[in-house]
């Protein structure tokens, strides 16, 4: 009972095995309720929900703020593009399609972790503690648990993406809807720079040339924003499976991969994405010529 358990005498008795306190040491007493909620709709007209307005989850996975940041990172560029006229209303609609499924996953995971952390059954608690202690002996298992590697990263299976053509290898096709790696790349000058700084702030295209280098071109309001293509090398091996394949990655402003295509299939991918970002239509003829 909330009224009973927050009384000074009850709190003092619960803390007594660990520390002796007086009533004046108690600054605040409250019963915390862990809600598990996800809004059915993230958009109603011009009103869009993000963060705690869109979802509430228990604190056990530490994902509430992360989910809110991911919401805004997904939504902000889409709203900005729509206001500028470079993104359609359909682009804004992809926000819920892309973000809601992952929020649901995080809420469910938080609930499961809470059942483990908050368990009060003596037998199950002993088994839990023994299992965690045993995992700590194995470095790989310890890193997996401590690093929370069990958290699933967002993977869009719909929304502002293009379905890979049949001629795209399966491993490469699986990159669509995933976040782009952000390694340090080597410029033609020999200097290194974060890939993000080369990609710019808008849409970008990465072409993995047969010679081993990566050609990067920023795509702007007219398909090409006037920035010349830049060739870089990936010394980190982050893109090792793609090097020399001739494949093309079309990357969104939020650095998620919208499409993977061969040179021949690039115009079709650009055409599919132009339903969300009409500015990409101008890049299609250049892509066809390059192919």
């Amino acid at each position: 009972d909330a009224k009973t358990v927050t009384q000074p005498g009850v709190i003092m008795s619960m803390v007594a095995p660990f520390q002796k306190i007086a009533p004046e040491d108690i600054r605040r007493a409250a019963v915390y309720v862990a809600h598990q909620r996800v809004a059915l709709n993230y958009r109603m007209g011009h009103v869009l929900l993000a963060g705690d307005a869109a979802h509430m989850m228990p604190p056990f996975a530490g994902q509430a703020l992360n989910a809110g940041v991911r919401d805004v990172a997904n939504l902000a560029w889409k709203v900005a593009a729509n206001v500028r006229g470079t993104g359609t209303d359909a682009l804004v609609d992809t926000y819920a399609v892309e973000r809601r499924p992952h929020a649901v996953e995080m809420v469910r995971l938080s609930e499961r972790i809470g059942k483990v952390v908050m368990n009060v059954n003596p037998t199950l608690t002993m088994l839990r503690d023994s299992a965690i202690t045993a995992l700590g002996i194995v470095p790989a298992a310890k890193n997996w648990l401590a690093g929370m590697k069990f958290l699933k990263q967002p993977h869009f299976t719909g929304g502002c993406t293009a379905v890979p053509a049949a001629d795209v290898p399966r491993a490469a096709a699986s990159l669509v809807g995933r976040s782009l790696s952000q390694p340090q790349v080597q410029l033609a000058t020999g200097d290194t720079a974060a890939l993000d700084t080369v990609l710019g702030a808008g849409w970008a295209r990465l072409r993995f040339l047969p010679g081993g280098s990566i050609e990067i071109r920023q795509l702007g309001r007219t398909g090409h924003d006037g920035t010349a293509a830049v060739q870089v090398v990936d010394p980190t091996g982050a893109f090792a499976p793609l090097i020399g394949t001739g494949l093309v990655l079309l990357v969104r402003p939020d650095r998620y991969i919208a499409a993977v295509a061969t040179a021949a299939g690039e115009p079709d991918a650009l055409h599919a994405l132009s339903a969300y970002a009409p500015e990409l239509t101008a890049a299609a003829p250049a892509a066809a010529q390059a192919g």
Side-chain angles (χ1 to χ4, degrees):
D1 177 71
K3 292 182 178 179
T4 301
V5 78
T6 54
Q7 294 299 312
V10 176
I11 295 173
M12 291 167 62
S13 65
M14 289 191 293
V15 178
F18 313 99
Q19 182 180 353
K20 184 178 180 180
I21 62 172
E24 57 268 23
D25 296 322
I26 303 172
R27 302 296 182 88
R28 179 175 179 269
V31 174
Y32 180 85
V33 179
H35 293 286
Q36 302 163 58
R37 303 284 188 270
V38 180
L40 292 176
N41 300 306
Y42 278 23
R43 181 183 184 186
M44 184 68 70
H46 287 178
V47 178
L48 296 122
L49 304 181
D52 285 353
H55 42 71
M56 298 182 69
M57 60 187 74
F60 306 108
Q63 290 299 297
L65 178 59
N66 289 342
V69 171
R70 287 188 172 116
D71 289 345
V72 176
N74 184 288
L75 180 60
W77 71 273
K78 296 176 179 179
V79 172
N82 185 253
V83 171
R84 290 195 303 261
T86 59
T88 63
D89 197 61
L91 175 65
V92 181
D93 276 339
T94 63
Y95 163 58
V97 175
E98 294 177 353
R99 281 299 307 143
R100 192 178 185 279
H102 189 255
V104 171
E105 287 184 358
M106 291 300 99
V107 169
R108 289 174 176 167
L109 177 64
S110 298
E111 178 188 13
R112 295 189 193 106
I113 295 176
K115 289 180 178 179
V116 174
V117 173
M118 301 296 289
N119 177 65
V120 295
N121 181 289
T123 302
L124 294 178
T125 299
M126 181 183 66
L127 291 173
R128 175 200 66 193
D129 294 348
S130 299
I132 292 177
T133 300
L135 286 173
I137 300 175
V138 183
K142 182 178 180 180
N143 292 336
W144 178 81
L145 185 63
M148 300 184 74
K149 300 294 180 61
F150 49 82
L151 293 176
K152 293 182 65 176
Q153 296 301 310
H155 178 206
F156 309 143
T157 56
C160 184
T161 58
V163 178
D167 58 353
V168 176
R170 181 178 298 179
S174 67
L175 297 175
V176 174
R178 299 186 187 276
S179 179
L180 181 73
S181 296
Q182 291 295 330
Q184 292 284 319
V185 294
Q186 186 174 27
L187 307 177
T189 60
D191 298 324
T192 58
L195 178 61
D196 235 6
T197 63
V198 184
L199 295 177
W203 285 83
R205 177 176 61 206
L206 285 74
R207 191 187 304 277
F208 295 86
L209 302 176
S213 60
I214 307 171
E215 180 191 81
I216 299 175
R217 183 182 290 276
Q218 298 177 12
L219 305 179
R221 294 178 65 91
T222 58
H224 295 163
D225 65 0
T227 303
V230 176
Q231 289 194 20
V232 302
V233 176
D234 170 29
T236 68
F239 296 110
L242 297 172
I243 295 299
T245 61
L247 291 173
V248 172
L249 301 186
L250 298 176
V251 183
R252 308 179 341 178
D254 63 352
R255 299 298 165 246
Y256 276 80
I257 300 170
V260 179
T262 61
E266 183 184 348
D268 290 336
L270 286 165
H271 178 73
L273 294 173
S274 67
Y276 307 107
E279 60 179 327
L280 298 177
T281 305
Q289 184 177 2

